[in-house]
Amino acid sequence: MIDNQPKKIKAYIAGVNLNDPNFDYYMTELANLTEANSMEVVGQSYQNAESIVAGTYFGLGKINEIKAMAHGLKAKVLVLNDELTPVQIRNLEKLTKMRVIDRTELILEIFASRARTKQAKLQVQLARLQYELPRLHPSENNLDQQRGGGYSNRGAGESKLELNRRTIGKQISAIKKELKAVASQEEIKSARRNQSRIPKVALVGYTNAGKSTTMNGLLKEFSDEGSNKEVFVKNMLFATLDTSVRRIDLKDNFSFILSDTVGFISKLPHNLVESFKATLQETKEADLLINVVDASDPNMVQMIRTTQNVLDEIGVKGIPMITAYNKADKTDRNYPQIEGNDILYSAIDPKSIKMLADLITKRVFSNYEEFRLLLPLSAGKELAYLHENAQVLSEDYEDDGVHIQANIAPDDQGRYKQYLV
């Protein structure tokens, strides 16, 4: 049988450990990111040091050791655990005779291959250009090449460098302008959703923790056309970069808006966080956050910390949160079970999904109050608003009007005081 699958490029990963207790976790993450970028990790090295070597990242002895091991394993690419300076990358490429990718470029490449919508593509392009701008080098012949050697003809190189910088500067300005236009369209959609009193719930968390699977589980359980609304799911890092928004209609007349956001990872490049702030707007406007965590991963504590760090960076503060420990089916613990305000569950288990929905209901509808109302038959607009924005428990049409029992949000309670029975 002929294997038509393209051969993966062999990569060797390496990093400098500055006495960081999380270093092993970061290296595991780097290996997963490298695999997510369609490369095969064939080996790894690290160097314990007090500080990074300014010109070469590693010391010369370690560079020679890495070169020998990587070449022996037929690796073509050296992937490094930190963001490097342009000088460090160029010097390492000369010394190792390999292509060198730092952690930031690796994540940018993954994002570029995953972007589907216009907004996501623009956001990735912007982050990549901002990354490339300080890395331009006089010896480069065109904007598509990041690497180059030789320092002859300095004068011509310098003028070419300025031209390239101006070109990238114009591209950055044009993309920012285009992104602003796309963002304003998204803001209009978001404003429409905000006009409704329906609570907003946002799924956040480390990439590949099961956010999209959780959303699909809720859609399958509580929507007649769930399969038509399901979002893309794949067992890989950053399977999707786009925020998906769905309405979940629970069986007891409660509804909420659920958004599934881009996943997080340690050392997420600042330019990417900045570029994706518009995409993460749903998170900032949520009434409740659900931090989905992979309960089967030994690094889950660091993953929770990573999520909190990114939320802090994008300015998400003071929003109530449920920590949802997913993939309990891959552990030996009993599930589903509520643990205080949190839940241990499996997103592919219907019983778990129902328990999660119950927990969401308790958290977002806790300040709703039950009212008995009598609406005139002519108050069709008020009745429609009630159905859209409250939990209608019963509704009876009598000669004197419509008798309604409903749970109403605090902001709407004053609106219906005149109809109290």
Side-chain angles (χ1 to χ4, degrees):
M1 187 174 173
I2 299 171
D3 184 6
N4 291 322
Q5 289 276 32
K7 278 194 173 180
K8 288 186 176 181
I9 294 171
K10 292 184 177 181
Y12 194 90
I13 66 172
V16 174
N17 183 8
L18 303 176
N19 200 25
D20 187 341
N22 294 318
F23 181 75
D24 288 343
Y25 164 61
Y26 294 143
M27 287 296 288
T28 300
E29 201 175 62
L30 186 69
N32 291 335
L33 284 167
T34 305
E35 297 280 356
N37 199 35
S38 300
M39 291 188 279
E40 179 190 353
V41 177
V42 293
Q44 64 173 291
S45 293
Y46 67 92
Q47 180 172 33
N48 292 317
E50 293 297 317
S51 60
I52 300 291
V53 178
T56 53
Y57 184 64
F58 298 108
L60 273 176
K62 179 58 70 172
I63 292 171
N64 288 330
E65 178 190 308
I66 288 171
K67 179 183 177 182
M69 292 179 74
H71 281 249
L73 293 164
K74 295 186 168 41
K76 301 295 182 189
V77 181
L78 177 61
V79 183
L80 301 175
N81 191 39
D82 295 290
E83 182 171 320
L84 273 63
T85 66
V87 171
Q88 287 170 337
I89 290 175
R90 282 195 293 272
N91 287 339
L92 279 172
E93 288 191 332
K94 277 185 197 169
L95 292 165
T96 63
K97 309 295 184 201
M98 297 171 70
R99 185 189 172 202
V100 174
I101 302 177
D102 67 9
R103 188 184 182 98
T104 299
E105 186 177 355
L106 178 66
I107 294 173
L108 285 169
E109 284 188 4
I110 294 168
F111 270 53
S113 68
R114 303 281 197 270
R116 294 290 176 269
T117 64
K118 182 179 181 180
Q119 187 179 30
K121 286 176 181 176
L122 287 170
Q123 287 163 332
V124 174
Q125 282 175 26
L126 177 61
R128 177 169 276 287
L129 288 170
Q130 288 170 330
Y131 170 81
E132 286 179 356
L133 189 57
R135 286 164 173 76
L136 289 175
H137 190 251
S139 62
E140 289 165 3
N141 293 320
N142 61 61
L143 289 171
D144 293 326
Q145 292 178 317
Q146 278 186 237
R147 319 285 194 248
Y151 293 89
S152 60
N153 199 8
R154 266 310 262 207
E158 288 295 338
S159 54
K160 174 79 173 183
L161 176 64
E162 289 307 313
L163 179 64
N164 286 357
R165 278 187 179 145
R166 276 201 302 275
T167 303
I168 285 190
K170 285 178 183 175
Q171 287 176 328
I172 287 172
S173 297
I175 290 172
K176 281 184 174 177
K177 192 175 178 182
E178 203 171 348
L179 260 177
K180 204 170 181 181
V182 174
S184 66
Q185 292 169 8
E186 292 301 318
E187 279 169 19
I188 291 168
K189 291 179 192 173
S190 181
R192 283 188 194 134
R193 287 194 291 272
N194 289 340
Q195 285 172 2
S196 164
R197 298 290 187 198
I198 300 176
K200 290 174 285 297
V201 179
L203 295 161
V204 297
Y206 192 89
T207 180
N208 208 29
K211 297 183 300 299
S212 298
T213 307
T214 299
M215 174 178 262
N216 286 345
L218 287 162
L219 285 167
K220 193 173 180 181
E221 192 64 37
F222 298 106
S223 174
D224 292 335
E225 48 178 334
S227 59
N228 295 327
K229 293 183 176 182
E230 285 183 14
V231 295
F232 177 71
V233 170
K234 192 170 181 181
N235 183 26
M236 64 181 182
L237 302 185
F238 302 114
T240 178
L241 305 181
D242 307 306
T243 297
S244 302
V245 181
R246 303 287 188 271
R247 176 172 168 147
I248 307 292
D249 295 308
L250 305 177
K251 290 186 169 65
D252 51 4
N253 292 331
F254 278 124
S255 298
F256 60 90
I257 302 296
L258 183 66
S259 59
D260 173 23
T261 59
V262 61
F264 303 148
I265 202 161
S266 302
K267 303 185 186 180
L268 197 60
H270 180 71
N271 287 339
L272 264 181
V273 175
E274 278 296 311
S275 299
F276 274 77
K277 271 187 177 174
T279 303
L280 294 165
Q281 191 64 26
E282 296 290 340
T283 306
K284 296 177 79 170
E285 294 172 354
D287 299 295
L288 176 70
L289 299 178
I290 301 176
N291 179 9
V292 181
V293 179
D294 182 351
S296 69
D297 196 298
N299 299 304
M300 83 177 169
V301 174
Q302 289 99 319
M303 291 174 174
I304 293 170
R305 197 177 296 129
T306 293
T307 297
Q308 192 55 58
N309 289 342
V310 178
L311 290 173
D312 290 344
E313 190 170 349
I314 62 175
V316 176
K317 297 189 190 306
I319 299 175
M321 181 187 286
I322 291 170
T323 303
Y325 295 92
N326 185 27
K327 304 189 184 181
D329 52 301
K330 294 184 178 179
T331 72
D332 56 3
R333 299 180 64 189
N334 292 326
Y335 71 93
Q337 58 174 303
I338 304 289
E339 301 174 339
N341 287 322
D342 304 328
I343 183 172
L344 177 69
Y345 78 114
S346 167
I348 57 174
D349 169 45
K351 191 177 175 186
S352 290
I353 291 296
K354 286 173 187 170
M355 190 176 282
L356 175 62
D358 288 343
L359 186 57
I360 294 170
T361 302
K362 283 175 187 169
R363 293 296 298 272
V364 297
F365 298 104
S366 60
N367 56 358
Y368 277 48
E369 283 187 45
E370 189 174 317
F371 288 85
R372 292 180 182 277
L373 309 171
L374 176 58
L375 269 65
L377 292 169
S378 58
K381 191 175 179 182
E382 294 297 331
L383 183 60
Y385 182 90
L386 204 59
H387 274 285
E388 184 67 24
N389 298 285
Q391 183 199 24
V392 177
L393 303 171
S394 65
E395 180 179 3
D396 296 306
Y397 286 79
E398 305 288 348
D399 291 340
D400 58 343
V402 188
H403 291 256
I404 289 178
Q405 188 177 351
N407 285 319
I408 302 175
D411 291 345
D412 285 331
Q413 287 166 11
R415 179 173 182 155
Y416 288 95
K417 276 190 175 171
Q418 59 182 308
Y419 304 116
L420 282 173
V421 176

